[in-house]
Amino acid sequence: MPELVFFSGTMDCGKSTLALQIEHNRSARGLVGMIFTRDDRAGQGKLSSRLGLVTDAVEVEDGVDLYGYIVEHLSQGRRADYVIADEAQFLAPGQIDQLARVVDDLEMDVYAFGITTDFRSKLFPGSQRLVELADRVEVLQVEALCWCGARATHNARTVGGVMVLEGAQVFVGDVTRSADEIGYEVLCRRHHRRRMTAASARAAALSPDVLPVTAD
């Protein structure tokens, strides 16, 4: 039976790499996929991984009916055996419903990849709808690590290396940006709660210890 599968994880855990691997494995067996993405780091109409792999994709804009897009594609005599949707957290809840309809009505597997929560530890609307509708939710086993070495479970937005909790939910960035830019860092829950990034941890480690003062 076809499935809607949601592959989730933090930034830097290999979601896009897995999406590209699934595309490679199926295309090598003669299957044809339709790839959707939104706001990929490589630019519009691209699905890319940090390993340097990249392929063309359909850029999803606001208001696009994904079910209707695929039906139109098929009605023109073109083929599609499965669907990959990367950066699925940026899709609208209604577009997730459309992907579920692709599974149910067109009997295609849909593989969605995305971050579950934003930099404030709040669910992205698209990810929330995927959790509600998916036949399976797979947490990726390639663990991203916090600066302390623990398993990273949270995404932090940083400005100049300092964690921030204000701003728009969607800001396209990367974990590879320099410390002076707006970027992202993956943290364990403890250090996300404490707002302690790698930069702030280094600053604390370099601070001179204050000697206790005792009375004569």
Side-chain angles (χ1 to χ4, degrees):
M1 295 293 291
E3 290 184 304
L4 172 59
V5 186
F6 179 34
F7 295 93
S8 69
T10 62
M11 297 183 73
D12 210 22
C13 74
K15 295 181 301 301
S16 297
T17 301
L18 179 58
L20 288 162
Q21 184 68 54
I22 287 177
E23 162 63 13
H24 170 76
N25 290 350
R26 280 152 182 74
S27 63
R29 287 159 179 76
L31 300 176
V32 178
M34 179 166 286
I35 304 175
F36 294 106
T37 191
R38 177 159 186 170
D39 295 333
D40 187 274
R41 69 182 71 81
Q44 284 204 341
K46 299 294 180 183
L47 166 56
S48 67
S49 79
R50 292 187 181 88
L51 298 181
L53 304 172
V54 62
T55 191
D56 292 330
V58 176
E59 185 76 17
V60 179
E61 305 289 349
D62 290 337
V64 170
D65 183 338
L66 298 179
Y67 177 83
Y69 187 99
I70 295 171
V71 168
E72 177 65 21
H73 176 88
L74 296 173
S75 69
Q76 294 175 1
R78 292 184 285 178
R79 181 178 167 188
D81 300 306
Y82 60 93
V83 174
I84 290 174
D86 196 33
E87 306 293 355
Q89 72 274 6
F90 296 143
L91 299 181
Q95 290 172 322
I96 303 301
D97 284 87
Q98 293 156 13
L99 291 177
R101 188 180 177 192
V102 169
V103 176
D104 296 339
D105 294 0
L106 302 181
E107 298 186 344
M108 290 184 195
D109 285 315
V110 173
Y111 306 101
F113 300 81
I115 299 167
T116 308
T117 57
D118 65 14
F119 67 102
R120 301 164 299 183
S121 298
K122 303 294 184 182
L123 284 167
F124 281 100
S127 298
Q128 178 179 335
R129 193 61 179 146
L130 274 165
V131 171
E132 293 166 348
L133 291 182
D135 297 293
R136 285 190 291 128
V137 177
E138 300 281 352
V139 178
L140 296 191
Q141 298 304 308
V142 178
E143 295 183 350
L145 298 179
C146 177
W147 61 264
C148 69
R151 177 172 174 263
T153 55
H154 289 64
N155 304 296
R157 183 179 292 174
T158 60
V159 178
V162 177
M163 180 174 160
V164 296
L165 292 174
E166 301 295 331
Q169 185 177 49
V170 177
F171 177 87
V172 180
D174 203 348
V175 294
T176 59
R177 289 178 181 248
S178 70
D180 295 331
E181 297 179 281
I182 298 175
Y184 290 93
E185 183 175 341
V186 290
L187 299 172
C188 64
R189 185 181 63 232
R190 178 182 4 174
H191 288 126
H192 191 276
R193 285 194 304 106
R194 295 177 180 178
R195 304 189 191 183
M196 184 171 284
T197 65
S200 60
R202 284 194 297 269
L206 293 173
S207 297
D209 292 331
V210 178
L211 297 176
V213 177
T214 57
D216 292 334

